[in-house]
Amino acid sequence: MHKLTFTPVSYTGWGCLHQLLPEVEKFKATNILIVTDPFLKELGLTDKIEQPLLAKGYATTIYTDIAPEPPLAIGEKLVDFTRKYHFDLVIGLGGGSALDLAKLAAVLAVHDGKVADYLNLTGTKTLEQKGLPKILIPTTSGTGSEVTNISVLSLETTKDVVTHDYLLADIAIVDPELTISLPPKVTAATGVDALTHAIEAYVSVNANEVTDGLALQAIRLISGSIRTAVHEGQNRQARSDMSYGSYLAGLAFFNAGVAGVHALAYPLGGQFHIAHGDSNAVLLPYVMGYIRQSCEKRLKDILDAMGISSAYLSQEEASYKCVDALQQLVQDVNIPSTLKGFHIPEDALEQLTNDATKQTRILARSPMLLEREDIYTIYRAAFDGEIREPHQL
């Protein structure tokens, strides 16, 4: 038996943002908080959200005091703000950070205590109420935050999450038109993030027939369009495929989970403030190369989904070729392929390993058990730029 959870209502497709106003009206809200990335306000993209609401007489407040890979302090400040001004609806607009914070604000607005009290690894309180209604509108094709129940926060050297089904959006609006002006660097990082979601969901020990279908289709769409989206950002078909692929990947990993890549990526973000998508991208080939023997058949399927035929290859040969294809894709979208490329010093590998081993919730989903020695070896491989397997020095 498998439990599957999905956001109650989702809209996908070019121009679907026009569904926002009818959905807002159903909640009978009067005081709306819009949590968004500051640069989206500068670009005027928030006007597409706010102006129709103002025209209908809604009171709106735009909150932009957020940052990429948001630290715990930013989450605490936003929750305090939400409680103080008694909002009755929260709209999240932007990348994963904005959406994660919007979810956090909506739920914790009706709870006591600090955000830190509800963290997965160290918190002592549990969420008891659903909180304010929330509508999530991604402007990137990558995080899948609009369909998950997780809010990720950066701590001093790593990351932790607040997670509960109460954090699920009431409405997700996934409009690829909002991604058309996304810069190449962000398109690449968020795109490989989405691809990683799909791949890790497919090899997860919690994978099932439903998540497999979602993950493989996401891999087809993302791997077939990411290079075009990065290098020809105005290409409408590529942006649509990336948007839909990211959405499917989000559904897949929310229900099947991610594993080793994300567990090792969190400390990179926490210690060196590397964007989450970049952290996943640089580690993806090395983690998959290391666990290759535990999921050869699945890597063969992934290779086919990437549009590279495995018809005349053994499972072992196809799995090797899949790892090579992932490494090539990361290079093709101009993301550094080693930890050195992100200026990570060699003496940081031990502390990165220490922090990654604490991500037990995520590591438990890996098809291969990753012990401390394994995690260090993967970091070392990513530092040296050499794919390694267990017991390979």
Side-chain angles (χ1 to χ4, degrees), residues 115-343:
V115 175
D117 297 331
Y118 298 90
L119 291 173
N120 177 68
L121 295 177
T122 58
T124 58
K125 289 181 176 288
T126 57
L127 297 173
E128 304 291 344
Q129 301 180 62
K130 185 175 184 295
L132 307 177
K134 47 200 169 296
I135 300 175
L136 301 183
I137 308 170
T139 59
T140 67
S141 297
T143 69
S145 181
E146 70 277 5
V147 292
T148 70
N149 68 354
I150 301 170
S151 179
V152 183
L153 296 162
S154 295
L155 307 182
E156 188 173 341
T157 61
T158 187
K159 293 184 179 183
D160 201 351
V161 302
V162 178
T163 178
H164 193 286
D165 281 355
Y166 289 153
L167 272 75
L168 278 171
D170 295 280
I171 308 292
I173 298 176
V174 186
D175 187 343
E177 188 173 3
L178 299 176
T179 71
I180 202 74
S181 60
L182 205 62
K185 186 176 181 353
V186 181
T187 300
T190 56
V192 180
D193 187 19
L195 182 63
T196 304
H197 291 155
I199 289 171
E200 290 213 283
Y202 191 66
V203 302
S204 167
V205 296
N206 295 330
N208 58 69
E209 292 85 353
V210 176
T211 61
D212 284 352
L214 293 167
L216 288 175
Q217 181 63 3
I219 293 166
R220 291 184 193 101
L221 288 167
I222 296 167
S223 63
S225 60
I226 187 170
R227 294 173 177 86
T228 302
V230 169
H231 300 295
E232 302 173 29
Q234 298 297 310
N235 187 297
R236 179 167 167 163
Q237 186 62 55
R239 290 295 189 184
S240 294
D241 287 351
M242 287 297 297
S243 182
Y244 192 40
S246 172
Y247 171 75
L248 295 177
L251 295 176
F253 95 82
F254 173 45
N255 284 282
V258 289
V261 179
H262 278 71
L264 273 66
Y266 277 179
L268 284 180
Q271 292 185 36
F272 296 99
H273 307 293
I274 299 173
H276 178 62
D278 285 331
S279 299
N280 277 335
V282 69
L283 291 168
L284 177 62
Y286 301 102
V287 173
M288 301 315 296
Y290 192 83
I291 69 170
R292 182 194 59 78
Q293 294 179 57
S294 68
C295 51
E296 283 185 351
K297 171 62 169 65
R298 296 242 145 190
L299 289 176
K300 185 175 187 290
D301 296 340
I302 291 169
L303 182 70
D304 287 327
M306 293 180 70
I308 304 171
S309 175
S310 67
Y312 300 104
L313 301 175
S314 67
Q315 278 187 190
E316 181 182 34
E317 291 169 335
S319 67
Y320 276 118
K321 191 166 185 177
C322 179
V323 174
D324 290 342
L326 294 175
Q327 193 166 38
Q328 185 62 54
L329 185 148
V330 172
Q331 293 174 5
D332 288 348
V333 296
N334 301 322
I335 296 176
S337 57
T338 68
L339 295 183
K340 290 179 184 176
F342 286 100
H343 309 292

Side-chain angles (χ1 to χ4, degrees), residues 82-123:
T82 310
R83 290 169 177 166
K84 179 178 179 180
Y85 291 100
H86 305 290
F87 296 101
D88 49 18
L89 173 66
V90 177
I91 297 175
L93 173 72
S97 297
L99 302 188
D100 278 7
L101 288 170
K103 292 189 285 189
L104 195 70
V107 175
L108 289 188
V110 301
H111 288 80
D112 296 326
K114 298 291 188 180
V115 175
D117 297 331
Y118 298 90
L119 291 173
N120 177 68
L121 295 177
T122 58

